[in-house]
C-alpha cells in the first residue's frame, strides 16, 4: 500500500517504525535513522515517537514478547519494531488505545506487512487488555523497569550505589533545553530573558553558571531571537563548564583537541576574545565541517584542522599549547536522556575500547602542554573506567603530571561529586545537568 493512502497518523507511525528498525536492528544512530524524515512536515512527531520508543524499548520489548507465541527474535524486524512502537503509543502517548491499535494495523499495510495485520491487531488488543499485569511482571526487574541494558545497570549500581536509581530515572526524562548567551559583545542573561519574554517564552537563568538559561519549553533554534546571528547557542549547563574550567587568559594558545561539532570551540572564542591561537582539531572530516559552520554562525575564527590524535603525527608540526581541552570520544552514557538510542547501541565491551583510545589521546595531548599549562580532560560518560580510573592510571604512569584545582572563580555545580581525581556530574542530581566528568591536569614541575 502506498503511504499516501494511509489514514492520517498511520504514515507518521510508518516513518517512526522505519527509524526504530534502523536503530534496533541495523545499528544506526537515531540521528542517521531519522535523516529520511527531515523533509517531512510531521518530522517533529516522527522524532518524538521514535525517541520515545527507543527510550522505553527495553521495557516495552519484554512486555510485548510475552504476548507472542514464538521467540520475539523470529519476527521480521519491521514487524517487531511496529509492535514495540505501537505499544509505546498505547502506554506513553495521550491518544485513545483504540486509535493507536487502528493506526498500527494501517501502518502494517504501509510497511508491506499486509499478511500480518490480523496478528498485529490481536497482539495489540491483548496488550491493551493485559498491560497492567504485563508491566507488573516485567517491572519487578530494575533492568526492565528502568529500560536500560543489563550491563549498564550493573555498572552504575556498582559505581554509584547511592545515586544509580535517580540516575536511571533521570535518563528517561525529557531533557531540558539550555541556552548559552554570548556574554561578550554586550550580551547579558537579563536582556536575553527580556527578549524571550517579549516573544512569550518562559525561561530562567541558571544561577551557578554565568550565561546559562533554561527554557521552560523546548523550541526550534530557528525561532530563538539572535540564534542565527550567534548571540545564543544551545548547550547543556554541564558542557558549558568545560570552557570555564580552562581558566583562559589573553595571549594564550589553545588546542580544542576533539572539537566537532564545535560547541565548546565557539564558547572558548566567546569567553576570551584575545587568545593568540585556537586550533580546533578532530579526526572526522564530516563533523569538522560542522565546526566551520558553527564558527560562521558565531562570526568567530579559529584554525580548523583534521587530525587523528591517536597518531604521533597529528600534532607534530604544532607548538606547545597553554590550554588544552580534551573533550574525549566516550560512551556518551551521560547524555542518554538526549540520545536514548545509546541504550540499544552501546555494548559493554565498547567501554574498554573507548578507554584505550582516550588513554592514547590523553598521552598525546599532554605531551603538547606548555609549562604552567592546563589540560581539561572531559567526557560525557558516567562510567569510572573512562573517568576517574582513567585519570588515576594516567597520573600513576606520568609522574610529571598533577591534578590542578577547580578555578576559584567557578561555582561547583550543586550535587557534583568531588572525587579523589576529578569531578563527576550525574543526571538526576540537583544541578539538572547531563552526566559529565572533568579533571584539570598540569605539569608538576611548573607548580
Ligand atoms: C565528545 S565529541 C566532541 C564534542 C565537541 N567538543 C563539542 O563540544 O562540540 C568527541 C569528538 O572526538 C572525535 N574523535 C574521535 N576519535 C578521535 C581521534 N582519534 N582524534 C581526534 N578526534 C577524535 C570525534 O569525531 C568527536 O567529534
Amino acid at each position: 500500500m502506498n503511504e499516501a493512502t494511509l489514514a492520517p497518523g498511520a504514515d507518521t507511525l510508518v516513518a517512526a517504525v522505519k527509524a526504530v528498525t534502523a536503530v534496533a536492528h541495523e545499528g544506526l544512530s537515531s540521528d542517521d535513522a531519522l535523516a529520511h524524515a527531515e523533509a517531512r512536515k510531521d518530522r517533529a512527531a516522527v522524532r518524538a515517537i521514535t525517541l520515545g520508543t527507543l527510550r522505553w524499548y527495553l521495557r516495552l520489548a519484554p512486555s510485548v514478547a510475552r504476548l507472542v507465541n514464538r521467540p520475539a527474535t523470529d519476527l521480521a524486524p519491521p514487524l517487531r519494531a511496529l509492535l514495540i512502537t505501537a505499544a509505546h503509543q498505547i502506554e506513553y502517548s495521550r491518544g485513545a488505545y483504540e486509535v493507536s491499535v487502528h493506526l498500527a494495523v494501517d501502518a502494517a499495510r504501509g510497511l508491506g506487512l499486509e499478511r500480518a495485520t490480523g496478528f498485529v491487531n490481536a497482539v495489540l488488543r491483548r496488550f491493551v487488555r493485559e498491560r497492567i499485569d504485563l508491566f507488573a511482571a516485567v517491572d519487578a526487574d530494575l533492568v526492565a523497569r528502568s529500560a536500560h541494558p543489563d550491563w549498564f545497570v550493573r555498572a552504575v549500581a556498582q559505581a554509584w550505589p547511592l545515586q544509580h536509581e535517580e540516575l536511571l530515572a533521570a535518563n528517561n526524562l525529557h531533557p531540558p533545553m539550555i541556552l548559552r548567551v554570548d556574554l561578550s559583545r554586550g550580551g547579558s542573561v537579563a536582556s536575553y530573558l527580556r527578549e524571550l519574554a517579549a516573544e512569550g517564552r518562559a525561561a530562567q537563568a541558571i544561577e551557578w553558571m554565568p550565561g546559562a538559561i533554561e527554557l521552560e519549553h523546548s523550541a526550534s533554534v530557528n525561532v530563538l531571537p539572535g540564534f542565527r546571528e550567534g548571540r545564543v547557542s544551545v548547550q547543556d549547563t554541564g558542557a558549558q563548564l568545560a570552557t570555564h574550567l580552562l581558566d583562559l587568559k589573553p595571549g594564550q594558545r589553545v588546542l580544542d583537541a576533539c572539537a566537532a561539532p564545535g560547541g565548546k570551540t565557539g564558547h572558548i572564542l566567546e569567553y576570551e576574545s584575545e587568545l593568540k591561537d585556537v586550533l580546533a582539531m578532530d579526526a572526522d572530516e564530516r563533523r569538522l565541517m560542522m565546526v566551520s559552520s558553527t564558527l560562521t554562525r558565531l562570526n568567530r575564527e579559529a584554525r580548523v584542522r583534521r587530525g587523528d590524535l591517536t597518531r604521533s603525527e597529528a600534532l607534530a608540526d604544532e607548538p606547545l599549547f597553554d590550554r588544552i581541552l580534551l573533550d574525549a570520544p566516550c560512551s556518551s552514557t551521560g547524555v542518554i536522556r538526549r540520545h536514548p538510542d545509546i541504550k540499544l547501541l552501546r555494548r559493554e565491551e565498547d567501554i574498554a575500547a573507548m578507554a584505550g583510545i582516550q588513554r592514547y589521546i590523553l598521552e598525546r595531548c599532554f605531551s603538547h602542554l606548555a609549562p604552567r599549562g592546563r589540560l581539561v580532560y572531559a567526557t560525557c560518560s558516567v562510567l569510572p573506567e573512562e573517568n576517574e580510573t582513567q585519570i588515576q592510571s594516567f597520573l600513576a604512569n606520568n609522574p610529571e603530571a598533577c591534578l590542578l584545582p577547580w578555578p576559584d572563580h567557578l561555582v561547583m555545580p550543586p550535587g557534583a561529586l568531588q572525587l579523589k581525581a576529578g569531578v563527576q556530574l550525574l543526571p538526576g542530581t540537583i544541578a539538572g545537568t547531563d552526566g559529565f566528568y572533568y579533571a584539570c591536569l598540569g605539569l608538576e614541575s611548573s607548580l
Side-chain angles (χ1 to χ4, degrees):
M1 181 188 259
N2 185 328
E3 278 180 41
T5 63
L6 297 177
D11 60 335
T12 307
L13 195 58
V14 168
V17 170
K18 285 181 179 169
V20 169
T21 310
V23 175
H25 297 278
E26 293 155 31
L28 263 66
S29 70
S30 54
D31 284 347
D32 287 345
L34 284 163
H36 77 275
E38 262 315 295
R40 297 174 62 106
K41 279 204 187 99
D42 61 353
R43 61 184 170 278
V46 175
R47 189 176 174 80
I49 297 171
T50 303
L51 295 187
T53 303
L54 296 173
R55 184 168 289 126
W56 291 109
Y57 191 98
L58 294 171
R59 180 178 187 239
L60 294 164
S63 311
V64 169
R66 286 171 176 248
L67 301 175
V68 178
N69 295 332
R70 53 187 137 145
T73 44
D74 284 0
L75 298 178
L79 178 55
R80 190 164 180 226
L82 171 62
L83 291 174
I84 293 171
T85 308
H88 171 268
Q89 292 303 92
I90 292 165
E91 183 62 14
Y92 294 101
S93 85
R94 281 189 229 116
Y97 302 151
E98 285 299 311
V99 176
S100 296
V101 175
H102 176 75
L103 289 177
V105 171
D106 221 15
R109 294 194 187 94
L111 288 160
L113 301 168
E114 285 84 356
R115 290 173 55 193
T117 51
F119 174 73
V120 168
N121 190 37
V123 170
L124 292 178
R125 283 189 188 286
R126 262 190 78 196
F127 181 79
V128 169
R129 279 197 311 276
E130 298 176 24
R131 43 184 255 293
I132 291 172
D133 291 339
L134 282 170
F135 284 129
V138 301
D139 284 352
D141 179 12
L142 178 61
V143 167
R145 183 166 79 247
S146 70
H148 283 76
D150 178 47
W151 69 267
F152 181 73
V153 173
R154 273 187 282 109
V156 290
Q158 191 185 350
W160 315 113
L162 300 180
Q163 297 89 354
H164 73 285
E165 296 227 19
E166 283 86 356
L167 182 159
L168 296 169
N171 281 352
N172 290 331
L173 298 178
H174 286 270
M177 185 164 176
I178 310 290
L179 305 180
R180 182 189 81 226
V181 177
D182 181 355
L183 298 178
S184 67
R185 302 172 173 169
S188 81
V189 166
S191 65
Y192 196 73
L193 283 172
R194 280 196 295 278
E195 282 187 68
L196 288 172
E199 301 207 350
R201 290 190 192 283
Q204 58 179 14
I206 295 176
E207 294 302 327
W208 56 271
M209 173 54 66
I213 285 179
E214 178 170 351
L215 287 180
E216 196 169 304
H217 301 290
S218 298
S220 156
V221 290
N222 299 320
V223 302
L224 294 177
F227 179 82
R228 282 178 206 195
E229 304 90 77
R231 288 195 288 119
V232 71
S233 299
V234 177
Q235 190 175 45
D236 185 73
T237 335
Q240 295 187 33
L241 272 171
T243 296
H244 292 270
L245 282 169
L246 282 171
D247 202 15
L248 297 165
K249 302 278 185 301
Q252 290 178 333
R253 290 181 186 277
V254 181
L255 169 65
D256 187 358
C258 292
K264 298 184 186 73
T265 319
H267 195 192
I268 288 169
L269 293 160
E270 288 169 8
Y271 187 96
E272 177 50 72
S273 57
E274 302 289 317
L275 296 170
K276 183 169 187 181
D277 178 35
V278 177
L279 171 60
M281 182 170 270
D282 201 281
D284 187 325
E285 193 81 59
R286 192 170 61 113
R287 286 171 61 83
L288 265 184
M289 280 161 34
M290 296 154 84
V291 179
S292 300
S293 51
T294 300
L295 295 180
T296 304
R297 182 180 65 82
L298 299 178
N299 195 16
R300 305 275 175 180
E301 280 177 23
R303 287 192 295 134
V304 177
R305 216 188 112 176
R306 184 173 176 278
D308 177 348
L309 284 157
T310 59
R311 302 176 71 93
S312 56
E313 62 271 23
L315 294 172
D317 52 352
E318 291 292 342
L320 299 183
F321 293 94
D322 306 298
R323 296 290 185 262
I324 298 178
L325 173 59
L326 171 48
D327 189 14
C330 71
S331 61
S332 304
T333 44
V335 292
I336 285 176
R337 61 182 184 169
R338 298 189 190 279
H339 302 283
D341 50 329
I342 291 167
K343 291 175 172 184
L344 302 190
L345 299 177
R346 204 64 73 237
R347 301 271 175 261
E348 186 170 15
E349 55 274 23
D350 296 342
I351 307 307
M354 283 286 178
I357 293 170
Q358 291 154 2
R359 190 169 60 244
Y360 271 120
I361 300 182
L362 177 54
E363 300 271 357
R364 179 88 51 239
C365 288
F366 193 78
S367 69
H368 251 72
L369 188 65
R372 290 178 298 285
R374 186 179 185 89
L375 183 150
V376 174
Y377 175 85
T379 72
C380 57
S381 164
V382 295
L383 301 174
E385 210 173 334
E386 302 178 272
N387 297 342
E388 189 185 26
T389 311
Q390 175 78 274
I391 294 302
Q392 281 177 322
S393 92
F394 177 77
L395 291 169
N397 294 330
N398 294 273
E400 72 283 17
C402 63
L403 284 168
L404 297 179
W406 191 265
D408 289 339
H409 66 266
L410 189 59
V411 177
M412 183 69 67
L417 301 176
Q418 298 181 53
L419 310 175
K420 284 199 189 93
V423 170
Q424 181 76 56
L425 308 182
L426 296 177
T429 51
I430 187 163
T433 66
D434 290 341
F436 272 94
Y437 171 82
Y438 287 107
C440 303
L441 300 169
L443 285 154
E444 188 80 62
S445 58
S446 43
L447 286 183

